[in-house]
Amino acid sequence: MPRVAPRFARSGRLKTARRPFSTILTKLLLAFAVPTTVLFAGFAVFAHEIARRDLDHELGQRLAAVAAAAATQIRGKYLVDLGPGDEHSRAALNVGRKLAAVKDATGIDRLFVFDPRFHARVDTRPGVAIGTTYFRAKLDRHELAEVFSRGDAVASVLFTGADGQLYKTGYAPVF
């Protein structure tokens, strides 16, 4: 019979068995946490877009209402004959005071009156001469078509001004 030498264990550190990365706990966390996070992120984006659209619509309605209220304070027959150089006429100053009062009471940045050719009649911004062309209003031709044809108060789309701020304009007819 062959003789077998006894085997002795080596001394030193014992290696512990590593848990595999894909344990059941990890799989469950990934299976529930990732879809839940994606769902909540998607819902947040959806809710943000709905809130932004609703706020934009509400702002447009309020601006159109302020424009309509300001238009009731003005009689258009006094503005028809105004021309360049009439900025200090009684009619222009009277309308300017009324618009300034509405502007101060509502916190609106600016109020102005222009004709269908987009020429200024009265403006609350100092230094705007009668007859000055409002190029920004020309961009809102579709909205202004409703104002001039049907007499409805409307609002423009939200836009970024030259100063980087967001703006929206409300329009209403002056009769």
Side-chain angles (χ1 to χ4, degrees), residues 137-156:
K138 283 186 174 186
L139 296 175
D140 295 330
R141 285 179 194 246
H142 294 295
E143 290 87 353
L144 289 169
E146 285 187 45
V147 174
F148 291 130
S149 65
R150 296 190 323 188
D152 293 340
V154 297
S156 70

Side-chain angles (χ1 to χ4, degrees), residues 79-102:
L79 299 176
V80 172
D81 295 329
L82 290 179
D86 290 338
E87 290 81 16
H88 299 290
S89 70
R90 183 175 172 191
L93 292 174
N94 187 29
V95 171
R97 277 192 299 275
K98 289 179 181 180
L99 290 180
V102 172

Side-chain angles (χ1 to χ4, degrees), residues 25-158:
L25 177 63
T26 306
K27 288 179 183 177
L28 283 173
L29 281 175
L30 287 175
F32 289 110
V34 171
T36 302
T37 303
V38 169
L39 259 167
F40 276 119
F43 177 72
V45 169
F46 179 71
H48 179 268
E49 183 60 27
I50 296 253
R52 187 200 59 76
R53 190 179 60 215
D54 288 347
L55 286 172
D56 183 48
H57 179 71
E58 181 65 26
L59 177 61
Q61 284 186 325
R62 287 181 184 230
L63 285 172
V66 168
T72 63
Q73 302 298 312
I74 300 168
R75 300 188 109 194
K77 68 181 183 179
Y78 298 120
L79 299 176
V80 172
D81 295 329
L82 290 179
D86 290 338
E87 290 81 16
H88 299 290
S89 70
R90 183 175 172 191
L93 292 174
N94 187 29
V95 171
R97 277 192 299 275
K98 289 179 181 180
L99 290 180
V102 172
K103 176 183 170 277
D104 294 340
T106 59
I108 298 294
D109 183 50
R110 179 180 178 196
L111 289 167
F112 51 91
V113 179
F114 59 91
D115 62 24
R117 295 175 297 150
F118 306 106
H119 295 149
R121 294 293 181 193
V122 179
D123 198 323
T124 57
R125 181 180 290 168
V128 177
I130 294 175
T132 302
T133 302
Y134 288 117
F135 293 105
R136 175 66 207 144
K138 283 186 174 186
L139 296 175
D140 295 330
R141 285 179 194 246
H142 294 295
E143 290 87 353
L144 289 169
E146 285 187 45
V147 174
F148 291 130
S149 65
R150 296 190 323 188
D152 293 340
V154 297
S156 70
V157 296
L158 193 66

